[in-house]
Amino acid sequence: MSSIFDCGDEAQLLAGMRHARQAVSRGELIVIPTDTVYGVAADAFSPTAVQRLLDAKGRGRDQPPPVLIGSTDTLVALAESVPEPVQRLIDAFWPGGLTIVLPAQPSLVWDLGETKGTVAVRMPEGRVALELLAETGPLAVSSANLTGQPAAVSAAEAEAMLGDSIAVYLDGGPSGEGVSSTIIDATSLVARGGAADAGEVRILRHGAVSRAQLEEILGDLLEPEPEADGDS
């Protein structure tokens, strides 16, 4: 049976964080509040736990989950490299609602699904998520909902969809604006063989960080917006 903890109550918060850490160490799933929407989280380095996450959401391995980290320093351990334009994005939008896809460190021993050698990373904002990540390390996290359903913006909504597949629910009240993070593909900026690939940063999903905000940082490095088809 799942446990639900009200993070607005300090005693419940402490107990909830302890139970959440223990659940993660056992390869179980937890639900956490973030600055965007609620997320279902698992130990990123446990293939069994990651598969459990995908199963709970009704997802296949072709939809690997992003990874949340508790500090920008952790990105260096997960990504092959951090190009200067990506560092500018991090300085501007982390912690916050921007998920960045980069080539993963080849030495990493994990299995997030069919990632094609990449990792999608975000540093969220919010006390509960950051304090938990500081103790657990990187977590594979996806929106707390069944695939095809709206992302949960409360612990109650998450529980209604995911039920007892989750060991611990951390209830932090309504989450942010209820808008998922923006996801960008910055893999083309990573140097290979001594030269950067010809390419631009692509927006894979529009969300909390707007295109205008990205353009302000990236300029011409951001892929042009597709032209709308006109009627003849």
Side-chain angles (χ1 to χ4, degrees):
M1 184 175 176
S2 304
S3 300
I4 304 175
F5 297 90
D6 179 1
C7 295
D9 178 284
E10 196 68 20
Q12 286 198 48
L13 171 61
L14 292 173
M17 295 287 271
R18 183 177 69 254
H19 280 78
R21 291 194 303 271
Q22 293 170 346
V24 169
S25 70
R26 293 192 299 265
E28 296 175 336
L29 305 181
I30 62 173
V31 160
I32 62 173
T34 79
D35 49 322
T36 54
V37 295
Y38 271 73
V40 53
D43 179 357
F45 292 95
S46 168
T48 301
V50 172
Q51 187 59 53
R52 189 172 285 152
L53 185 158
L54 295 174
D55 291 344
K57 284 179 59 75
R59 272 189 169 186
R61 285 175 52 80
D62 60 331
Q63 295 177 292
V67 174
L68 292 191
I69 59 176
S71 73
T72 55
D73 292 341
T74 307
L75 180 61
V76 178
L78 301 183
E80 182 181 315
S81 68
V82 181
E84 187 275 333
V86 171
Q87 186 60 54
R88 281 189 271 130
L89 291 171
I90 290 169
D91 293 341
F93 302 116
W94 281 13
L98 180 66
T99 299
I100 304 172
V101 179
L102 288 167
Q105 279 279 7
S107 60
L108 285 175
V109 181
W110 63 2
D111 183 5
L112 297 172
E114 297 171 12
T115 64
K116 299 179 181 177
T118 66
V119 61
V121 188
R122 180 168 92 88
M123 181 181 174
E125 196 169 11
R127 176 189 174 188
V128 174
L130 289 176
E131 288 187 4
L132 185 64
L133 287 161
E135 300 207 25
T136 63
L139 293 174
V141 179
S142 185
S143 56
N145 60 290
L146 295 174
T147 297
Q149 298 297 314
V153 295
S154 69
E157 286 185 6
E159 185 190 19
M161 285 185 275
L162 299 172
D164 287 340
S165 65
I166 307 300
V168 175
Y169 289 86
L170 297 179
D171 185 352
S175 63
E177 299 297 321
V179 178
S180 297
S181 68
T182 296
I183 302 177
I184 61 169
D185 180 355
T187 55
S188 67
L189 300 182
V190 175
R192 295 190 182 281
D197 287 347
E200 299 162 309
V201 174
R202 292 190 301 127
I203 298 176
L204 302 180
R205 181 179 74 189
H206 293 273
V209 176
S210 70
R211 180 182 181 85
Q213 289 175 296
L214 293 173
E215 280 182 332
E216 188 174 338
I217 303 298
L218 293 173
D220 292 342
L221 288 176
L222 186 64
E223 185 178 68
E225 194 165 13
E227 293 185 10
D229 293 332
D231 293 330
S232 56

